Amino acid sequence: MHDTLTYVKKLEAVGVSRKQAEAQVEIMSQIVDSNFATKQDLKDLAGANKQDLKELGAELRTEMGELRSELRTEMGGLRLEIKDSTIKYGKMLAAAVGIIIAAMGFMLKL
């Protein structure tokens, strides 16, 4: 409490003894000092929160970069698998067409 003397005088004006008024002011001051944040407390907390957010942002950027790299690697592997499968199925199709042509030629000779 900032203006304890004014508070004591107001209590005295309504019939509270000086001793009781001073005790009340002391108790109220202790309660306020121990339970309420000061402007400096709030500034310190805001600064700490700002720093925490910066650190969290840096962590997220790092993790996103790592995920991006992993995805690129995975996609590269999938592209190779697709390419290999396409070549494999193309060869199988060419072989099947060759077999069909050979079978038709054999049947025409009969």
Side-chain angles (χ1 to χ4, degrees):
M1 296 187 100
H2 295 290
D3 194 3
T4 56
L5 182 58
T6 301
Y7 187 55
V8 168
K9 287 181 181 180
K10 286 184 179 184
L11 288 172
E12 286 179 318
V14 294
V16 177
S17 73
R18 177 124 184 134
K19 196 172 191 178
Q20 287 176 330
E22 288 174 351
Q24 283 186 21
V25 167
E26 184 178 333
I27 291 168
M28 291 300 292
S29 292
Q30 289 174 357
I31 291 170
V32 169
D33 290 345
S34 65
N35 292 315
F36 293 101
T38 64
K39 287 181 182 179
Q40 188 60 47
D41 291 337
L42 296 175
K43 285 180 184 177
D44 292 346
L45 183 60
N49 285 343
K50 193 179 248 186
Q51 184 60 34
D52 288 346
L53 286 173
K54 283 181 182 178
E55 290 172 7
L56 180 60
E59 280 181 45
L60 286 173
R61 281 188 291 281
T62 299
E63 288 182 22
M64 287 175 62
E66 291 170 359
L67 285 172
R68 195 175 295 122
S69 178
E70 288 175 28
L71 283 172
R72 284 187 181 130
T73 301
E74 290 289 325
M75 288 174 61
L78 288 173
R79 282 187 189 112
L80 287 175
E81 286 180 35
I82 291 169
K83 184 179 178 183
D84 290 345
S85 294
T86 302
I87 292 170
K88 177 180 157 184
Y89 292 128
K91 288 179 180 179
M92 289 171 61
L93 181 60
V97 168
I99 291 171
I100 291 171
I101 291 172
M104 288 176 68
F106 179 74
M107 290 172 73
L108 288 175
K109 290 183 183 179
L110 291 177

